[in-house]
Amino acid sequence: MGRITTLRDLIGVIKDKVSQSKAALLSKPSKLSLHLAVIKATTHSPTTTPNDHHHHLSALLSLGYSSRATASVIINTLMDRLHRTRDASVALKCLLTIHYILKRGPFILQDQLSIVPTSGGRNYLKLSAFRDGATASKWALSEWVRWYARYLETLLSSSRTLGYYLRSPPWNIDKDKEEERVSSSMNLDLIRDVDSLVEVIEELCKLPDSLLVEDNKLLYEVMGLLRGDYLSAVNEVLLRLSEFKERLSCLSFGESVELTCALKRLEDRRERLSEMFKIKKPSMETLWVSIGELKGRVGMLEVDREGGKMVNRGRRRRASESTRFDEVLKSADPFRHISSGSFRSDKFSHMILE
């Protein structure tokens, strides 16, 4: 078995050499270094050491600081390699590179990634049918490739809603300016933000089986980025929940229902998230406490018939309005946004982030 693996690794090395030779023959001199950088960062080898992989990734990201034309070539080459390959290791490295661009890449690279293709939307990365049946391990890795593509599509969609990409702490974005932006946002905009962040967390909960992670350095690296995304999403949600606490009396009935539905969807993922990530951060407990408090306070509000606004009447809500509110919540599918679909959920092992 080891011999077959060695033979496949050798074939992968040959394929990479052929790709480099092809790039040298067909690429313009000004673009050759860009094509080679993409190939080196996304080789066929499943045993690439983290140091080597980070070195090639860093070299690729550094090229993105030059010009928009250079960034365009890098993204187009990366997407072309992603869509042409039938090898799970290459596809996973392409997706990992995209993830790094979203989290740590220069703005020009991120900008080019966000507009290719211009249509965006579901199946943006076009990997929903990806299969690598060369070996049993490659077949299992293919499920990760399909899920990872869906997750990055959700992350890209959320970034369009928020106006920026989720980044691991420390954030480069000015927190004071972000708090000011949130406080000046309309209710529906804040609800839309929360909903998009909940969708990211929901997609996180659909991770494939964890058995491959311990033996696969690339997947372990992916998990590190995902934990960072989770923490970032939690902090973004908390920022908006804090603002909602200040303006509950200004919410309409429809807005209160939308907010509560989003919070319920998030709360329904609590157990799954605790299985996936054992994160020792105060923000995690604060999130669940804040959700409970907000849901409780919304439940004590009633609609003012004349003004159409939510006003605090304590526990003396009209029975008809209470029934209407509860019926809307019960009819809401906790696994689905009002206008969006969702996917399967699989079990994942414990991961610890200090």
Side-chain angles (χ1 to χ4, degrees):
M1 186 69 178
R3 191 174 179 182
I4 295 176
T5 302
T6 301
L7 178 59
R8 286 191 56 78
D9 288 347
L10 178 60
I11 294 174
V13 170
I14 293 174
K15 286 183 177 180
D16 291 333
K17 292 295 183 182
V18 170
S19 295
Q20 293 179 34
S21 298
K22 184 179 178 181
L25 290 173
L26 302 179
S27 302
K28 295 181 179 179
S30 59
K31 299 180 179 179
L32 176 59
S33 62
L34 306 180
H35 289 295
L36 294 178
V38 171
I39 294 172
K40 289 178 180 179
T42 58
T43 62
H44 285 74
S45 173
T47 56
T48 304
T49 64
N51 287 338
D52 287 342
H53 190 230
H54 288 162
H55 171 74
H56 294 309
L57 269 177
S58 297
L60 180 63
L61 294 180
S62 65
L63 292 171
Y65 285 96
S66 52
S67 67
R68 190 170 297 276
T70 297
S72 178
V73 172
I74 291 174
I75 295 301
N76 286 330
T77 303
L78 179 61
M79 298 295 283
D80 183 65
R81 187 162 174 81
L82 174 63
H83 292 148
R84 287 177 179 273
T85 188
R86 294 296 178 265
D87 185 274
S89 294
V90 174
L92 188 64
K93 288 181 180 180
C94 288
L95 294 173
L96 185 60
T97 300
I98 291 173
H99 204 168
Y100 269 110
I101 290 174
L102 294 179
K103 293 180 72 67
R104 306 175 187 175
F107 170 77
I108 301 178
L109 271 182
Q110 294 178 343
D111 184 53
Q112 289 299 308
L113 186 61
S114 68
I115 62 175
V116 180
T118 54
S119 57
R122 297 291 182 185
N123 201 26
Y124 168 88
L125 297 175
K126 301 179 181 178
L127 293 179
S128 58
F130 183 88
R131 300 287 190 282
D132 182 352
T135 65
S137 61
K138 290 282 190 177
W139 182 263
L141 197 60
S142 296
E143 185 178 5
W144 272 85
V145 170
R146 294 191 298 273
W147 172 83
Y148 200 14
R150 289 200 309 267
Y151 172 74
L152 291 178
E153 289 164 0
T154 304
L155 203 60
L156 283 162
S157 177
S158 177
S159 72
R160 295 189 185 101
T161 300
L162 297 175
Y164 53 86
Y165 295 103
L166 287 178
R167 291 174 177 259
S168 298
W171 298 271
N172 292 332
I173 194 167
D174 189 314
K175 281 195 172 183
D176 291 335
K177 289 184 179 179
E178 176 58 11
E179 289 177 358
E180 182 179 348
R181 188 187 77 83
V182 168
S183 64
S184 61
S185 296
M186 302 290 288
N187 291 337
L188 286 177
D189 291 333
L190 291 182
I191 292 172
R192 180 197 59 185
D193 287 354
V194 171
D195 188 80
S196 71
L197 291 164
V198 172
E199 285 189 343
V200 170
I201 295 175
E202 284 178 324
E203 194 59 51
L204 269 177
C205 292
K206 298 160 192 170
L207 278 162
D209 187 73
S210 64
L211 296 178
L212 291 176
V213 175
E214 294 181 2
D215 299 324
N216 192 300
K217 296 175 182 177
L218 284 177
L219 291 183
Y220 197 82
E221 191 171 353
V222 169
M223 284 305 304
L225 295 181
L226 296 178
R227 291 196 298 274
D229 287 348
Y230 178 40
L231 279 175
S232 297
V234 166
N235 281 280
E236 293 289 348
V237 171
L238 279 174
L239 180 60
R240 287 155 181 80
L241 295 191
S242 177
E243 179 62 26
F244 274 122
K245 288 180 181 179
E246 302 297 324
R247 58 168 81 176
L248 272 183
S249 61
C250 299
L251 294 180
S252 68
F253 178 81
E255 290 167 347
S256 69
V257 170
E258 285 195 62
L259 175 61
T260 305
C261 286
L263 296 181
K264 186 178 186 304
R265 285 161 51 210
L266 184 54
E267 197 171 43
D268 287 344
R269 299 301 188 275
R270 182 174 182 174
E271 182 177 352
R272 170 66 171 156
L273 290 167
S274 66
E275 293 175 355
M276 293 165 50
F277 307 110
K278 283 191 173 296
I279 299 181
K280 300 177 181 178
K281 295 285 186 179
S283 58
M284 304 311 305
E285 186 58 32
T286 302
L287 173 66
W288 306 121
V289 171
S290 295
I291 289 176
E293 289 179 351
L294 263 177
K295 286 179 62 180
R297 290 179 61 185
V298 169
M300 295 171 64
L301 295 175
E302 68 177 27
V303 176
D304 177 24
R305 292 179 176 178
E306 295 182 358
K309 296 293 184 180
M310 299 299 290
V311 293
N312 198 335
R313 303 287 191 191
R315 297 186 178 275
R316 297 179 300 164
R317 292 174 58 201
R318 295 187 183 90
S320 59
E321 290 161 356
S322 176
T323 301
R324 180 187 170 202
F325 184 82
D326 293 338
E327 286 177 350
V328 172
L329 291 183
K330 288 179 181 179
S331 65
D333 184 351
F335 298 97
R336 179 184 179 91
H337 176 241
I338 291 174
S339 60
S340 303
S342 59
F343 305 97
R344 297 183 298 107
S345 176
D346 298 291
K347 190 174 181 181
F348 195 75
S349 62
H350 294 240
M351 302 295 294
I352 299 177
L353 181 64
E354 299 298 336

